[in-house]
Amino acid sequence: MGHPFPIREIARQAGLSEATVDRVLNGRGGVRESTAREVQQAIADLDRQRTQVRLVGRTFMIDIVMQAPERFSTAVRAALEAELPSLHPAVVRSRFHFRETGPVQELARTLDGIARRGSQGVVLKAPDVPEATAAVGRLVEAGIPVVTLVTDLPATARLGYVGIDNRAAGATAAYLMGQWLGDRPGHVLTSLSSGFFRNEEEREMGFRSAMRTHHPEHILVEIAEGQGLDATQYDLVRAALERDAAIRAVYSIGGGNIATLRAFEDAGRECAVFVAHDLDHDNTRLLREHRLSAVLHHDLRQDLREACRLVMRAHGALPPAGPTLPSAIQVVTPYNTPPQATTG
């Protein structure tokens, strides 16, 4: 019985011992006809799944490099680790390089260190600045594929981007804001963690464009560079509230929502509508407490799974596929919060 597969692999596919498979393949007898058919079926299955068989025994070391608040990097780590079993028979090992803030030169040094040490791939969340772009170029020159996560670096030779369509997300936030504010007067505070992250810039542009078109009566007031950290975010929001007595709603693009709500409370002000991003631990709790109106959520597990598959394809371990589609944007309210929504 001709076949290109190791006996060990056929036995694993058929759920039989290697000795039994060996007897069938070599016609030694002593096995039931049904067992022989199981071996034949296993070979047929393996032949049909030939591209997957090449994954057996492959180990991929992937580096996850992120500049993000701890609550989001924790969600990314949990999402990746939850997805690892789905990547079998490949084995994916990961090294995590997380930082909440800091000079971009440190981020570039981390990427350069990976280029020197070697890696099968890098999954990267970084600001769209020249230093990061240049460091990605050096990784690619070293033969290391790079996948951008959540926020893109389109001017680089990155392998692909996984995440939502951020302009569409911003427009979705504007739609919700306009529906809930209605004809009530009030300015809207838009909060970015940093103007250097492309995803936040695109969300803000989508939000601003849709609000200008459909709800021009609501003036937008922007704050930025809070890095999504509570201490800096509180001061920025409190100052904005003191300057503008008409702020009644928030579109939080970059996080720090506990601090934002505390600033409203300390100022004795009501936040009538609050739209945020990502079902991390903080936002899940705030939603369940009805302190957020809605969270725009996407499936981080799906993003990490697709990032790993992109790396595998770059190494020829999976067949080519079409372009990566954006993740679906889900609108989560206090009434449809997933039971364990902490990873997106």
Side-chain angles (χ1 to χ4, degrees):
M1 188 183 299
H3 62 86
F5 308 109
I7 288 177
R8 179 180 63 254
E9 193 58 41
I10 298 170
R12 182 175 356 186
Q13 184 74 22
L16 300 170
S17 70
E18 294 183 27
T20 299
V21 171
D22 182 74
R23 286 199 299 274
V24 172
L25 295 179
N26 291 287
R28 296 198 179 100
V31 293
R32 293 190 297 270
E33 185 178 342
S34 60
T35 302
R37 286 199 300 269
E38 290 174 5
V39 172
Q40 293 167 2
Q41 183 62 51
I43 292 173
D45 291 342
L46 289 170
D47 189 63
R48 191 173 60 253
Q49 302 166 23
R50 185 183 296 266
T51 55
Q52 292 296 322
V53 173
R54 286 184 288 159
L55 289 171
V56 175
R58 295 288 298 269
T59 297
F60 296 88
M61 177 60 76
I62 296 178
D63 290 89
I64 317 298
V65 183
M66 294 179 55
Q67 179 174 318
E70 183 274 336
R71 60 182 176 273
F72 186 74
S73 57
T74 296
V76 167
R77 182 193 294 269
L80 176 60
E81 291 176 348
E83 278 303 303
L84 292 182
S86 74
L87 301 171
H88 289 167
V91 176
V92 174
R93 298 177 57 197
S94 53
R95 293 182 292 233
F96 296 98
H97 313 266
F98 293 159
R99 40 180 270 156
E100 289 197 307
T101 186
V104 71
Q105 290 81 5
E106 291 183 8
L107 179 69
R109 282 195 291 272
T110 296
L111 297 177
D112 287 339
I114 293 169
R116 290 191 300 271
R117 183 176 61 242
S119 176
Q120 270 73 55
V122 171
V123 177
L124 176 65
K125 179 184 183 295
D128 189 3
V129 295
E131 294 88 344
T133 298
V136 170
R138 293 189 289 273
L139 281 168
V140 174
E141 288 175 4
I144 299 173
V146 177
V147 178
T148 51
L149 173 69
V150 177
T151 184
D152 201 7
L153 300 174
T156 67
R158 86 303 187 250
L159 187 62
Y161 161 74
V162 292
I164 58 174
D165 179 332
N166 286 292
R167 282 181 183 260
T172 301
Y175 174 80
L176 297 173
M177 185 68 67
Q179 293 295 310
W180 286 331
L181 271 181
D183 296 330
R184 292 177 293 173
H187 298 172
V188 179
L189 183 70
T190 62
S191 170
L192 292 80
S193 73
S194 172
F196 294 108
F197 284 101
R198 179 170 287 268
N199 67 326
E200 296 192 19
E201 179 185 21
E202 290 178 345
R203 291 172 186 177
E204 193 277 336
M205 288 190 292
F207 184 78
R208 185 175 295 276
S209 176
M211 290 294 289
R212 185 185 300 122
T213 300
H214 301 291
H215 306 284
E217 68 278 13
H218 295 299
I219 294 173
L220 306 186
V221 180
E222 181 179 313
I223 59 173
E225 305 310 318
Q227 305 301 322
L229 304 178
D230 286 345
T232 48
Q233 182 72 8
Y234 178 88
D235 292 339
L236 288 170
V237 175
R238 190 65 188 268
L241 293 175
E242 290 174 357
R243 290 192 303 268
D244 191 331
I247 294 173
R248 299 189 66 247
V250 173
Y251 174 38
S252 174
I253 300 171
N257 301 325
I258 290 176
T260 296
L261 287 166
R262 183 160 52 86
F264 270 84
E265 292 167 358
D266 290 351
R269 301 271 287 276
E270 176 197 13
C271 183
V273 182
F274 197 135
V275 179
H277 280 269
D278 302 322
L279 277 180
D280 55 35
H281 292 285
D282 287 353
N283 286 344
T284 299
R285 179 169 62 82
L286 293 174
L287 258 185
R288 289 175 175 157
E289 294 172 353
H290 291 248
R291 300 175 71 193
L292 298 181
S293 307
V295 169
L296 300 182
H297 168 63
H298 63 284
D299 189 346
L300 265 182
R301 288 184 58 169
Q302 174 186 323
D303 291 344
L304 271 298
R305 180 170 64 248
E306 183 59 29
C308 291
R309 288 176 174 171
L310 283 170
V311 170
M312 292 178 188
R313 290 189 189 106
H315 290 283
L318 286 175
T324 302
L325 299 176
S327 303
I329 302 167
Q330 304 172 30
V331 178
V332 184
T333 72
Y335 300 100
N336 69 332
T337 307
Q340 295 179 335
T342 59
T343 60

